[in-house]
C-alpha cells in the first residue's frame, strides 16, 4: 500500500457527488462508542453535503446484537437505505436472495478495483462477478493496548510482548489493578482467541485452521498451546465486570486495568479521552510477537428499494464513502486504515502508523469473517463465551469442541 502526499490528493480536488433531487437515507450501524460516533459524524456530514440527508440508525451493542435486527428488517420487507456489515460473509445469504443492490456500475465509475487495497476487501463484496458493497475501512484485531500508568503503579516496566504481559499479571493484581480487561459480549473473547492463534501460533497455523479448515490441526498440539494461552487470558481477565468492549477500553484509559486485547478501533476511545500514544498508553501490534495484521473491517451494503430517489441517494452514499477526503476524515477518527492506497495519513498517531507500516509491507492475513460463515463464527463465539465464563471447562475440553466446529465449518 502506497501513501502519497495528502496535499496531492487535496490538489486533485475530488469533489463529492451532487444530485439535483435529494433524499433522506436511513443508515443502520453499530458504531455507538465515543470514537465510533465521531467517525460516523464525518460520514454523515459528507453525505449531507451532497444535498441528501443521513438518517442515523445506530443500534446499541455489538455487531452480534445489531446484525439480527438488520437482517430481520431486510427479509421482513422493511429495508433501510444502507447498512453496515463486516467485510466477509455476513450478508452472503441476503445477496444470494437478491435483496441487495448491485453497485457494479458505481464501482466501475469510481475505478474501485484500482484504488481499493488490498483486493480481498472488494473480493468480499463480490458475488458472481458483481459488487454489492462499499468497503469503508481496514480493521485488525491483533493489538494489545496497555496503560502506562498501571504498570508504573505496579512497579514493572511496560511489557514489550504478550509473554511479558502475562508475567506482569501478579504484580498488577498486588497493586489492585485488573490485569486484562475483557467485556462480557461473546465477540470480544472470540476475537481475543483468534488473535492468540495468529500472534502466538503464527500465520501458517492461522491459515491451516481458518482458511483450510483443517480439523486435525485444530485438534493438534499447536492449537493446544493456544488454548493454554487462552486459559492464561481467562485468569488475567477474572474480575473485569464490564459488558461492552469500550467499557473494557475505559478501564485501560483510566489505569484501572493493565491491558486489553482489542481491534484498532480502540484507538478512537483513547483519542476521545485526550490520551497520546506512547505517553499515556502503548500499543503492541501482533501482541508484540508476530506482527501480521488481518485486513477485516466494515463495509456498507444497500438493500434494494422501490423508491427511485432513495436509490439514487444510495449511489451517492457509495461514492461518498470511497472518496479520498472522506476516507481520511473517517479513519482518523475511527482508528482504522483507509481502504484506498492513494491517501496520506501524516496526522495519524503512532499506533495507527505502526498498523499502516505493517499493512504496507504486506504482512497481512484475511480475517475470519471473510474465511468462515456467519454460522461458524456464531458457534465459535458461543464456545469462547462459555470457556471464559466457566472455569470448570478445561482447555482440553474446549479444544475438542473447537476442532469439531472447524471440521464442520463452511
Amino acid at each position: 500500500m502506497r501513501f502519497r502526499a495528502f496535499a496531492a490528493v487535496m490538489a486533485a480536488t475530488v469533489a463529492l457527488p451532487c444530485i439535483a433531487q435529494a433524499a433522506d437515507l436511513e443508515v443502520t450501524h453499530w458504531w455507538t462508542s465515543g470514537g465510533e460516533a465521531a467517525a460516523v459524524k464525518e460520514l454523515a456530514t459528507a453525505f449531507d453535503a451532497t444535498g441528501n440527508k443521513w438518517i442515523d440508525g445506530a443500534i446499541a451493542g455489538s455487531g452480534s446484537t445489531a446484525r439480527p435486527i438488520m437482517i430481520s428488517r431486510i427479509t421482513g420487507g422493511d429495508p433501510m437505505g444502507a447498512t453496515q456489515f463486516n467485510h466477509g460473509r455476513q450478508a452472503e445469504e441476503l445477496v444470494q436472495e437478491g435483496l441487495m443492490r448491485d453497485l457494479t456500475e458505481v464501482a466501475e465509475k469510481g475505478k474501485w478495483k484500482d484504488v481499493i487495497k488490498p483486493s480481498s476487501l472488494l473480493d468480499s463484496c463480490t458475488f458472481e462477478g458483481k459488487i454489492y458493497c462499499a468497503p469503508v475501512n481496514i480493521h485488525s484485531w491483533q493489538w494489545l493496548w496497555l496503560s502506562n500508568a498501571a504498570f508504573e503503579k505496579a512497579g514493572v516496566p511496560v511489557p514489550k510482548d504478550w509473554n511479558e504481559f502475562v508475567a506482569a499479571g501478579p504484580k498488577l493484581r498486588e497493586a489492585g489493578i485488573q490485569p486484562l480487561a475483557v467485556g462480557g459480549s461473546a465477540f470480544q473473547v472470540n476475537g481475543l482467541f483468534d488473535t492468540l492463534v495468529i500472534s502466538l501460533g503464527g500465520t501458517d497455523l492461522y491459515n491451516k485452521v481458518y482458511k483450510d479448515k483443517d480439523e486435525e490441526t485444530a485438534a493438534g498440539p499447536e492449537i493446544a498451546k493456544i488454548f493454554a494461552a487462552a486459559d492464561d487470558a481467562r485468569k488475567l481477565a477474572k474480575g473485569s465486570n464490564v459488558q461492552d468492549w469500550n467499557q473494557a477500553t475505559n478501564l485501560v484509559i483510566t489505569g484501572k486495568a493493565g491491558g486489553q486485547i482489542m481491534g484498532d478501533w480502540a484507538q478512537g476511545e483513547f483519542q476521545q479521552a485526550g490520551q497520546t500514544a506512547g505517553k499515556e498508553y502503548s500499543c503492541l501490534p501482533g501482541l508484540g510477537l508476530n506482527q501480521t495484521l488481518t485486513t477485516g473491517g466494515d463495509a456498507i451494503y444497500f438493500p434494494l428499494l422501490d423508491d427511485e430517489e432513495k436509490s439514487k441517494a444510495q449511489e451517492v452514499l457509495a461514492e461518498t464513502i470511497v472518496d479520498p477526503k472522506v476516507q481520511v476524515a473517517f479513519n482518523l477518527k475511527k482508528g482504522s486504515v483507509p481502504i484506498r492506497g492513494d491517501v496520506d495519513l501524516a496526522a495519524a498517531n503512532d499506533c495507527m502508523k505502526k498498523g499502516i507500516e505493517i499493512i504496507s509491507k504486506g504482512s497481512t492475513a484475511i480475517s475470519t469473517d471473510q474465511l468462515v460463515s456467519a454460522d461458524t463464527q456464531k458457534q465459535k463465539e458461543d464456545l469462547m463465551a462459555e470457556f471464559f465464563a466457566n472455569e470448570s471447562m478445561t482447555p482440553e475440553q474446549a479444544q475438542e469442541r473447537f476442532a469439531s466446529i472447524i471440521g464442520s465449518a463452511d
Side-chain angles (χ1 to χ4, degrees), residues 103-116 319 322 340 342:
L103 296 176
T104 305
E105 288 188 14
V106 177
E108 290 176 348
K109 178 183 175 184
K111 302 186 185 305
W112 288 6
K113 288 186 178 180
D114 295 331
V115 299
I116 293 177
E319 293 172 0
V322 180
R340 299 183 64 115
D342 58 355

Side-chain angles (χ1 to χ4, degrees), residues 107-139:
E108 290 176 348
K109 178 183 175 184
K111 302 186 185 305
W112 288 6
K113 288 186 178 180
D114 295 331
V115 299
I116 293 177
K117 308 293 181 183
S119 59
S120 61
L121 301 177
L122 208 53
D123 290 344
S124 292
C125 291
T126 304
F127 176 68
E128 294 184 345
K130 296 179 180 179
I131 295 170
Y132 287 90
C133 66
V136 184
N137 56 19
I138 300 171
H139 268 314

Side-chain angles (χ1 to χ4, degrees), residues 16 42-43 46-47 320-331:
L16 290 177
E42 296 291 345
L43 283 183
F47 182 61
T320 301
I321 287 167
V322 180
D323 178 87
K325 296 178 187 177
V326 177
Q327 277 289 306
V328 170
F330 174 83
N331 286 291

Side-chain angles (χ1 to χ4, degrees), residues 12-13 27 38-39 44 56 71 94 105 183 229 231-232 255 303 342 345 347 383 394:
T13 318
V27 185
D56 200 66
I71 292 170
L94 296 173
E105 288 188 14
D231 188 39
D232 288 336
D342 58 355
L345 288 176
L383 170 60
T394 67

Side-chain angles (χ1 to χ4, degrees), residues 18-146:
C18 295
I19 59 173
Q21 195 69 38
D24 293 350
L25 204 66
E26 181 192 9
V27 185
T28 55
H29 59 85
W30 58 84
W31 291 317
T32 56
S33 74
E36 290 174 328
V40 169
K41 186 176 180 181
E42 296 291 345
L43 283 183
T45 299
F47 182 61
D48 289 352
T50 68
N52 294 283
K53 185 170 180 58
W54 175 292
I55 305 299
D56 200 66
I59 300 173
S62 66
S64 55
T65 300
R67 281 190 297 272
I69 298 172
M70 297 165 174
I71 292 170
S72 178
R73 282 190 54 184
I74 295 168
T75 57
D78 181 30
M80 62 294 290
T83 189
Q84 171 196 8
F85 285 105
N86 293 125
H87 295 313
R89 301 174 60 181
Q90 292 171 356
E92 187 174 62
E93 293 182 3
L94 296 173
V95 172
Q96 291 172 351
E97 292 299 318
L99 296 172
M100 288 299 186
R101 175 83 184 272
D102 177 4
L103 296 176
T104 305
E105 288 188 14
V106 177
E108 290 176 348
K109 178 183 175 184
K111 302 186 185 305
W112 288 6
K113 288 186 178 180
D114 295 331
V115 299
I116 293 177
K117 308 293 181 183
S119 59
S120 61
L121 301 177
L122 208 53
D123 290 344
S124 292
C125 291
T126 304
F127 176 68
E128 294 184 345
K130 296 179 180 179
I131 295 170
Y132 287 90
C133 66
V136 184
N137 56 19
I138 300 171
H139 268 314
S140 54
W141 251 102
Q142 298 74 35
W143 294 84
L144 177 58
W145 306 95
L146 302 168

Side-chain angles (χ1 to χ4, degrees), residues 244-263:
D244 297 331
W245 70 266
N246 52 305
Q247 293 175 318
T249 305
N250 190 59
L251 293 177
V252 181
I253 290 172
T254 57
K256 296 176 182 177
Q260 178 191 25
I261 292 177
M262 185 51 58

Side-chain angles (χ1 to χ4, degrees), residues 267 271 277 281 283 332 335 345-354:
Q267 291 185 84
Q271 290 175 183
Y281 71 99
C283 57
L332 283 177
L345 288 176
N349 65 39
D350 288 347
C351 292
M352 188 184 294
K353 287 178 179 176
K354 288 181 181 180

